Amino acid sequence: GAGVSQSPSNKVTEKGKDVELRCDPISGHTALYWYRQRLGQGLEFLIYFQGNSAPDKSGLPSDRFSAERTGESVSTLTIQRTQQEDSAVYLCASSPEGVYGYTFGSGTRLTVV
Amino acid sequence: QQPVQSPQAVILREGEDAVINCSSSKALYSVHWYRQKHGEAPVFLMILLKGGEQKGHEKISASFNEKKQQSSLYLTASQLSYSGTYFCGTSTSGTYKYIFGTGTRLKVLA
């Protein structure tokens, strides 16, 4: 596609429920990243994929968070048993192989009530 | 490991210049700069690489001082459209993982 697509754009969920956030990167971009941005804060690294493998999962806050990528394309970030502190905008970005800037999606705004 | 940006916030009049600094406690391999407008996704501005190569697409310049582990973004003759929050992202290795700084809020007034 022309840009990085994320869905849903907004998600309100009850505490304790599971949520799935989807990212569709730019076609041909081998690297894919997930970041979290709390209100008024900076970008917090969660995980990145090179192809379908995740060389670095160090940013995942807890074992309630997991992510996968299939077919070097779509990625899903899953948060189990959501907590109020999970409320944030979750941003996905992709880039070509090599040293290039990221293209970010518009994000998913997650609100846990 | 998170790079530190300074200043935290700056207000300019149209046409004035600004410098935003990004400092790391670790040796840097490359630096990204992004601008984020309120409610929008960050937009890539520029990448600086160890060894001096620079890639970007806007009329904004930057420097990368490997010895000082620091990068600076230079905004000259600022325009209203420059308003937003600027983030640096740093990589301390040859991987594609970048850690983002604390952000600098810039507001340009007419």
Side-chain angles (χ1 to χ4, degrees), chain A residues 30-31 33 35 37 40-45 48-50 56 58-59 91 95-107 109, chain B residues 2 29-30 32 34 36 38-44 46-49 55 85 87-88 94-103 105:
Chain A
T30 56
Y33 316 83
Y35 286 83
Q37 187 172 34
Q41 302 296 310
L43 297 154
E44 178 188 358
F45 171 81
Y48 95 96
F49 290 89
Q50 184 57 36
D56 193 330
S58 62
L91 289 162
S95 71
E97 186 164 354
V99 187
Y100 293 93
Y102 295 176
T103 300
F104 280 91
S106 299
R109 182 176 299 277
Chain B
Q2 182 183 31
Y29 177 80
S30 65
H32 285 184
Y34 293 81
Q36 185 178 31
H38 183 70
E40 299 180 9
V43 173
F44 172 71
M46 186 166 300
I47 182 170
L48 299 110
L49 304 173
K55 297 182 185 181
T85 301
F87 291 101
C88 67
T95 70
Y96 310 138
K97 170 188 170 183
Y98 285 78
I99 302 299
F100 284 83
T102 46
R105 291 182 186 165

Side-chain angles (χ1 to χ4, degrees), chain A residues 9-21:
Chain A
S9 54
N10 279 286
K11 176 74 177 177
V12 180
T13 190
E14 292 181 353
K15 179 180 170 181
K17 301 269 186 171
D18 297 352
V19 294
E20 279 190 358
L21 312 180

Side-chain angles (χ1 to χ4, degrees), chain A:
Chain A
V4 177
S5 177
Q6 291 188 247
S7 62
S9 54
N10 279 286
K11 176 74 177 177
V12 180
T13 190
E14 292 181 353
K15 179 180 170 181
K17 301 269 186 171
D18 297 352
V19 294
E20 279 190 358
L21 312 180
R22 176 188 167 107
C23 173
D24 203 339
I26 291 173
S27 179
H29 280 194
T30 56
L32 185 149
Y33 316 83
W34 285 98
Y35 286 83
R36 178 169 72 179
Q37 187 172 34
R38 292 198 168 100
L39 187 63
Q41 302 296 310
L43 297 154
E44 178 188 358
F45 171 81
L46 296 178
I47 188 171
Y48 95 96
F49 290 89
Q50 184 57 36
N52 291 339
S53 66
D56 193 330
K57 304 179 183 179
S58 62
L60 294 177
S62 73
D63 59 8
R64 296 187 296 105
F65 287 71
S66 64
E68 64 175 20
R69 187 181 185 193
T70 54
E72 292 199 355
S73 180
V74 173
S75 175
T76 303
L77 177 69
T78 302
I79 309 173
Q80 295 178 310
R81 306 181 302 282
T82 51
Q83 304 292 314
Q84 286 186 329
E85 66 258 27
D86 299 335
S87 295
V89 175
Y90 289 80
L91 289 162
C92 174
S94 70
S95 71
E97 186 164 354
V99 187
Y100 293 93
Y102 295 176
T103 300
F104 280 91
S106 299
T108 293
R109 182 176 299 277
L110 176 66
T111 304
V112 182
V113 298

Side-chain angles (χ1 to χ4, degrees), chain B residues 19-39:
Chain B
V19 180
I20 300 171
N21 298 306
C22 173
S23 296
S24 173
S25 60
K26 295 193 171 187
L28 298 177
Y29 177 80
S30 65
V31 180
H32 285 184
W33 285 97
Y34 293 81
R35 176 172 60 215
Q36 185 178 31
K37 293 186 179 287
H38 183 70

